[in-house]
Amino acid sequence: MRFGVIKERKTPPDRRVVFTPEELVRLQAEHKDAIVKVESSDIRVFTDQQYSDLGIEVATDMSDCDVLFGVKEVPVDALIPNKKYFFFSHTIKFQPYNRKLLQAILEKNIELFDHETIVDTNHKRLIGFGRYAGIVGAYNGFRAFGIKYDLFNLPKAETLRNKEDLIERLKRPVLPNIKIVLTGFGKVGMGAKEMLDGMKVKEVSVADFLSKNFSSPVYTHIDVLEYNKRLDGKVVDNKDFYQNPKEYISDFARFSEVADIYMAGHFHGNGAPDILTREMLQSPKNKIQVVADISCDVDGPIACTIKASTIAEPFFGYLPSEHKEVSYTHPGSIMVMSVDNLPCELPKDASEGFGEMFMKHVIPAFFNGDKDGILQRAKMTENGKLTERFQYLQSYVEEK
């Protein structure tokens, strides 16, 4: 089996990679039938020399590989026919901007395995950069707060080496006694929590967060039933919320009236109620002045996330009274951070973590007959057609 790590070709450049040099050495050591090579790249966080120094072949021609690993979408003209590809295709939600990509994959008889579709038997995702989105997103939330109130000026995350550097920088400013509310218990939310705990912000209960004053910064980490409530007033369980989301409305106003910063790291399912609404942000009782929307669902459950921001320009102002973007220096604005590719700011850490997950959950499937069905569930295309699990995309690929 010949594995290849391809060069990232999307603009703006992405410095992440599926496998670090050390992980490729480990892959070959653990699987003697594996042959690996890396496509030469001048943007990757690990240089060609770092791979070749460990005996990994670096090449410009990847056509002899059976399986090709990338991070972001591969341009249509760079796709090699009749290969197996792993990358984030951003097609499974009918994204119109990548329809031609999926059409080309089918035309070129490529087997596509989207990183998002790699799941266990309970359809829980096994691979992703979510933890690092949470880590960088939380850092950016504090960076936004410092800029908004002219209290401190943290360097951009992309200029620092790793998570430890980010935490060390966050410990330097003396923060006022602000309150931070965090949503999400998946990889994104827990990544943000790592940062809050790493910088020693005190975690408090929901009851104390809502009712007490503190002399130092605090945060509360809330689950779906703490910021949503049933329309009929019944208190059931999380399972009921996920099965009957339309029976619920947001109960987040009680947090928006006491919190200073909102860090959004949740997964928002179809049919679930909006969380932070325009009405809440327009209310004279609203206290939130900084929103770090790490999940970044544009025009979604966070009303002020009216666009995705960029690493180059991560912050913008949102004017609740007019529901529009303004300068974040506008006195009536809420400062929003909604970067949709946050892990790119920590490419080394993110790549190391991703490779470890890939080695654990995916690579063994190539050598054990896919006994756990990892590859079978993840495969989106085969023999020029969509696989059964992804037949719902048929109308999408048929559109011109």
Side-chain angles (χ1 to χ4, degrees), residues 350-383:
S351 297
E352 289 171 349
F354 194 87
E356 288 171 7
M357 288 184 283
F358 216 93
M359 277 291 294
K360 178 180 179 180
H361 296 295
V362 182
I363 292 301
F366 286 100
F367 301 97
N368 66 15
D370 193 24
K371 66 182 181 66
D372 299 313
I374 296 291
L375 300 178
Q376 189 59 39
R377 282 189 296 274
K379 188 187 298 182
M380 291 183 62
T381 60
E382 186 175 32
N383 299 323

Side-chain angles (χ1 to χ4, degrees), residues 125-139:
R125 279 185 62 182
L126 296 171
I127 305 292
F129 289 101
R131 177 189 172 212
Y132 298 93
I135 286 169
V136 178
Y139 178 87

Side-chain angles (χ1 to χ4, degrees), residues 17-141:
V17 65
V18 175
F19 289 113
T20 67
E22 290 77 13
E23 284 295 341
L24 286 184
V25 169
R26 181 181 156 210
L27 193 161
Q28 290 187 121
E30 293 183 4
H31 303 284
K32 301 301 183 183
D33 294 335
I35 301 171
V36 301
K37 65 189 294 190
V38 173
E39 186 174 8
S40 179
S41 170
D42 57 354
I43 61 169
R44 190 180 289 131
V45 67
F46 300 98
T47 65
D48 290 353
Q49 190 67 46
Q50 285 176 284
Y51 285 97
S52 60
D53 283 348
L54 293 182
I56 306 298
E57 180 186 357
V58 178
T60 55
D61 181 6
M62 306 296 283
S63 59
D64 60 341
C65 294
D66 305 301
V67 185
L68 296 164
F69 300 115
V71 177
K72 302 299 278 290
E73 300 98 313
V74 177
V76 168
D77 60 1
L79 290 167
I80 304 173
N82 307 311
K83 300 295 182 183
K84 293 178 172 66
Y85 271 92
F86 285 76
F87 57 85
F88 287 108
S89 71
H90 296 117
T91 58
I92 62 175
K93 295 181 181 177
F94 305 94
Q95 290 94 324
Y97 52 87
N98 279 334
R99 180 183 288 111
K100 289 183 180 178
L101 173 60
L102 188 53
Q103 290 170 338
I105 286 167
L106 293 167
E107 290 167 6
K108 293 176 184 251
N109 191 37
I110 287 168
E111 290 184 20
L112 173 63
F113 301 78
D114 192 303
H115 295 311
E116 285 193 74
T117 68
I118 300 171
V119 296
D120 63 15
T121 53
N122 296 314
H123 288 267
K124 181 181 178 182
R125 279 185 62 182
L126 296 171
I127 305 292
F129 289 101
R131 177 189 172 212
Y132 298 93
I135 286 169
V136 178
Y139 178 87
N140 284 353

Side-chain angles (χ1 to χ4, degrees), residues 120-350:
D120 63 15
T121 53
N122 296 314
H123 288 267
K124 181 181 178 182
R125 279 185 62 182
L126 296 171
I127 305 292
F129 289 101
R131 177 189 172 212
Y132 298 93
I135 286 169
V136 178
Y139 178 87
N140 284 353
F142 285 112
R143 184 166 176 257
F145 183 83
I147 292 171
K148 180 175 179 64
Y149 292 105
D150 198 24
L151 292 174
F152 48 86
N153 199 348
L154 294 168
K156 283 193 169 187
E158 64 178 341
T159 67
L160 303 174
R161 291 178 303 172
N162 50 35
K163 184 189 95 170
E164 287 68 31
D165 273 6
L166 267 60
I167 290 174
E168 192 272 329
R169 291 298 182 119
L170 287 173
K171 285 180 175 180
R172 293 183 185 181
V174 178
L175 292 170
N177 57 334
I178 53 175
K179 289 184 174 181
I180 304 144
V181 58
L182 168 65
T183 51
F185 280 80
K187 289 182 172 63
V188 175
M190 297 309 289
K193 179 176 167 58
E194 278 187 60
M195 298 299 284
L196 292 163
D197 292 341
M199 57 188 291
K200 307 299 182 186
V201 177
K202 182 181 179 181
E203 183 175 7
V204 298
S205 68
V206 168
D208 286 350
F209 187 86
L210 296 175
S211 63
K212 293 182 178 181
N213 294 319
F214 298 89
S215 58
S216 60
V218 298
Y219 81 95
T220 194
H221 193 185
I222 57 176
D223 207 351
V224 290
L225 293 190
E226 288 163 324
Y227 59 90
N228 293 289
K229 60 183 178 182
R230 277 188 65 101
L231 289 162
D232 59 14
K234 293 180 181 177
V235 178
V236 194
D237 53 25
N238 284 19
K239 183 178 179 181
D240 180 69
F241 173 78
Y242 295 128
Q243 291 179 341
N244 306 291
K246 292 184 179 179
E247 299 297 319
Y248 287 78
I249 58 170
S250 175
D251 195 23
F252 193 78
R254 59 194 189 133
F255 295 97
S256 64
E257 292 173 5
V258 299
D260 301 283
I261 300 176
Y262 173 30
M263 294 183 178
H266 55 268
F267 169 78
H268 190 256
N270 292 333
D274 289 346
I275 300 169
L276 180 58
T277 65
R278 290 174 64 179
E279 291 73 24
M280 292 176 197
L281 291 171
Q282 290 168 357
S283 169
K285 294 182 179 180
N286 175 60
K287 198 166 180 285
I288 291 176
Q289 291 300 305
V290 173
V291 174
D293 190 352
I294 307 166
S295 297
C296 188
D297 293 316
V298 177
D299 295 324
I302 311 301
C304 53
T305 304
I306 53 179
K307 72 170 190 178
S309 56
T310 65
I311 291 172
E313 299 289 340
F315 311 121
F316 65 91
Y318 169 80
L319 192 61
S321 60
E322 299 183 37
H323 187 58
K324 70 176 186 181
E325 179 185 351
V326 294
S327 169
Y328 61 70
T329 60
H330 188 295
S333 71
I334 291 167
M335 196 158 177
V336 181
M337 189 289 304
S338 56
V339 177
D340 62 358
N341 59 340
L342 288 162
C344 292
E345 294 202 63
L346 272 189
K348 184 176 183 291
D349 276 13

